[in-house]
Amino acid sequence: MRNQKACRLCSHPLTEIFADLGMSPFANSYVAPGHLGRMEPFYPLCVFACSNCLLVQLEEFESPEAIFSDYAYFSSFSAAWLEHSRQYVDLMIPRFGLTGDSKVVEIASNDGYLLQYFVAKGIPVLGVEPAANVAEVAVRNGVPTRVMFFGEQTARQLSEEGHAADLIAGNNVFAHVPDLHSFVAGLKILLKPQGTITLEFPHLLQLLRHNQFDTIYHEHFSYLSLLAVERVMGEHGLGVFDVDQLPTHGGSLRIYAKHREDASRIGTAQLVEVRRMESAAHLDSIEAYRSFAPKIQKVKFDLLEFLIHQKREGNQVVGYGAPAKGNTLLNYCGVGPELLAYTVDRSPHKQGMFLPGTRIPIFSPERIAETKPAYVLILPWNLRDEVASQMSHIREWGGRFVVTIPELEVF
């Protein structure tokens, strides 16, 4: 029997299981060739829903310092993500009147993928990034970056050093934060009186609707609804005044927040609409969270049946991409190199490594043209159109693409 855990948002006992994906390694702990003989730690990948505040969350088995201090994910290797970031900058500058006298701070700024576009517009920036190896790339590319974990204490330090922000951006970082209260308290401290916070995160509603269970992995501590985000913001004197629904990562929200005492902006119709959508999906009731687990098994059975059938037919199936979500999928389904011969990735930081748990080798994309597989399983299904366009040459030998989320599809 598990030891009883407490909700990281409201401290209520966690008793409701949202999804149990068995035992899994850390999704970004890629294995070097010289370490193949070593044991890998596996941890329970069991997600709970708090019956009080309805935050969906994982247990914390390892500190953020151990997970994120040396990171394998570099944002700039996705052309679609770079374009998304450029568009964000083009929207924010006129909307909030940003100039050369403004300050933009990004939390978890990675390799400078976003802030580089503010720099190009002459707007002062500061990146805050915990992974030193990733921050080093940003600095080389002209994006000032501090290597630190963001929270109440570091926000106070940055504010005292003169880095109070007109705009604080956090893209796909909120879910990675185990201490939500310290993080949001830090946002409050660092934000100028008339400043704006934008946070982007995969929307729990889309995870539920489209069976996106592979976005669950140990590096994601929380799975967020607007309902839960508004609650934690409100507890720290911040208020959400607008929200955008985005197609990124299978369906994300971008929330806009301000100091509660800033009366210059009022809630928008878009905010009211997303609240209505969540209410219509019963995200304000624990019953909605209990219905998710049974949907997961069908994806597992369908993928295994497909891969086993292709193996028996003598058709090679390989992967495209080495994303964290792919590692959740493959470990949960028990797929190793006997069924998925290899995968490829554009990032040189992953090439030559092996996927955690499954030990599937990672090559450069050129490998696919060399072996001419019958099928390419797109593991980052949220980038399916980008990948299918980049790899369209597989059609020359009759190759086809496969995705598994929300259900198995061959195209």
Side-chain angles (χ1 to χ4, degrees):
M1 182 178 292
R2 296 179 184 275
N3 294 327
Q4 192 170 69
K5 305 297 180 182
C7 174
R8 62 172 45 93
L9 181 53
C10 72
S11 300
H12 192 270
L14 294 175
T15 58
E16 295 282 350
I17 292 178
F18 176 73
D20 191 342
L21 301 178
M23 302 292 289
S24 189
F26 289 132
N28 283 296
S29 57
Y30 300 89
V31 182
H35 295 169
L36 289 174
R38 298 183 183 180
M39 286 196 307
E40 283 182 82
F42 279 62
Y43 302 91
L45 194 54
C46 186
V47 192
F48 294 87
C50 177
S51 57
N52 181 49
C53 72
L54 302 174
L55 176 68
V56 176
Q57 59 202 280
L58 274 176
E59 299 177 55
E60 183 180 350
F61 291 101
E62 188 58 271
S63 70
E65 288 78 8
I67 296 174
F68 298 114
S69 293
D70 185 57
Y71 208 43
Y73 179 74
F74 290 74
S75 298
S76 292
F77 286 101
S78 169
W81 189 242
L82 287 176
E83 177 59 19
H84 172 77
S85 303
R86 186 193 63 76
Q87 291 177 8
Y88 169 87
V89 172
D90 287 346
L91 286 171
M92 295 305 115
I93 290 175
R95 178 170 182 179
F96 299 115
L98 301 176
T99 69
D101 295 323
S102 304
K103 187 62 167 286
V104 177
V105 175
E106 185 184 10
I107 314 302
S109 52
N110 203 264
D111 57 9
Y113 72 101
L114 182 144
L115 291 181
Q116 63 179 333
Y117 298 112
F118 282 113
V119 171
K121 301 281 189 178
I123 296 173
V125 304
L126 178 69
V128 179
E129 168 56 48
N133 65 314
V134 180
E136 182 182 353
V137 175
V139 172
R140 284 204 306 265
N141 291 333
V143 177
T145 305
R146 296 285 293 277
V147 178
M148 57 172 56
F149 283 89
F150 185 78
E152 187 172 3
Q153 182 177 349
T154 49
R156 203 173 302 280
Q157 176 185 342
L158 291 172
S159 181
E160 291 171 354
E161 293 175 3
H163 295 296
D166 298 277
L167 174 65
I168 301 176
N171 290 345
N172 302 304
V173 60
F174 207 20
H176 292 266
V177 176
D179 191 343
L180 295 174
H181 288 292
S182 176
F183 185 88
V184 177
L187 295 177
K188 172 76 173 174
I189 290 167
L190 194 60
L191 188 66
K192 288 183 180 179
Q194 302 295 316
T196 303
I197 299 162
T198 69
L199 297 176
E200 294 183 22
F201 49 85
H203 191 189
L204 176 65
L205 179 60
Q206 302 307 324
L207 186 154
L208 286 163
R209 282 180 171 174
H210 302 294
N211 204 19
Q212 298 167 355
F213 71 89
D214 59 341
T215 60
I216 296 169
Y217 41 92
H218 293 106
E219 291 89 336
H220 277 174
F221 295 106
S222 303
Y223 302 85
L224 299 162
S225 63
L226 177 63
L227 178 76
V229 170
E230 287 202 278
R231 174 167 180 157
V232 68
M233 289 283 178
E235 290 188 14
H236 294 276
L238 297 169
V240 177
F241 67 89
D242 197 6
V243 61
D244 294 330
Q245 297 183 68
L246 306 171
T248 53
H249 298 285
S252 296
L253 294 183
R254 176 192 293 145
I255 63 101
Y256 297 77
K258 62 181 179 63
H259 289 290
R260 187 159 49 204
E261 56 269 26
D262 176 5
S264 63
R265 284 165 287 186
I266 60 174
T268 65
Q270 293 95 315
L271 179 63
V272 173
E273 172 61 13
V274 175
R275 287 175 181 158
R276 186 203 63 76
M277 288 169 53
E278 291 193 349
S279 179
H282 306 293
L283 293 195
D284 50 2
S285 166
I286 193 63
E287 296 300 326
Y289 302 83
R290 291 173 176 159
S291 64
F292 182 63
K295 301 177 183 177
I296 297 173
Q297 288 186 351
K298 184 179 186 302
V299 172
K300 178 175 184 175
F301 297 156
D302 288 351
L303 177 59
L304 286 173
E305 287 172 0
F306 172 81
L307 292 175
I308 291 169
H309 175 74
Q310 298 307 325
K311 184 71 172 181
R312 287 176 172 161
E313 292 293 313
N315 296 324
Q316 187 183 57
V317 184
V318 306
Y320 186 98
K325 59 168 57 75
N327 292 327
T328 290
L329 174 74
L330 298 175
N331 278 285
Y332 170 65
C333 295
V335 173
E338 73 285 355
L339 293 176
L340 194 71
Y342 63 83
T343 193
V344 303
D345 199 276
R346 292 180 62 198
S347 172
H349 304 279
K350 296 180 181 179
Q351 294 166 11
M353 305 286 275
F354 293 77
L355 297 184
T358 62
R359 306 297 180 91
I360 294 170
I362 308 169
F363 297 98
S364 69
E366 288 73 24
R367 177 81 171 185
I368 288 179
E370 296 169 3
T371 66
K372 296 181 170 56
Y375 297 94
V376 175
L377 173 62
I378 301 176
L379 294 171
W381 45 260
N382 53 302
L383 301 176
R384 58 176 285 170
D385 293 340
E386 177 183 343
V387 173
S389 175
Q390 290 174 350
M391 303 299 295
S392 61
H393 59 275
I394 74 167
R395 309 287 190 191
E396 296 172 4
W397 61 81
R400 302 177 71 186
F401 296 103
V402 184
V403 292
T404 60
I405 303 294
E407 59 186 5
L408 188 79
E409 179 186 353
V410 180
F411 64 100

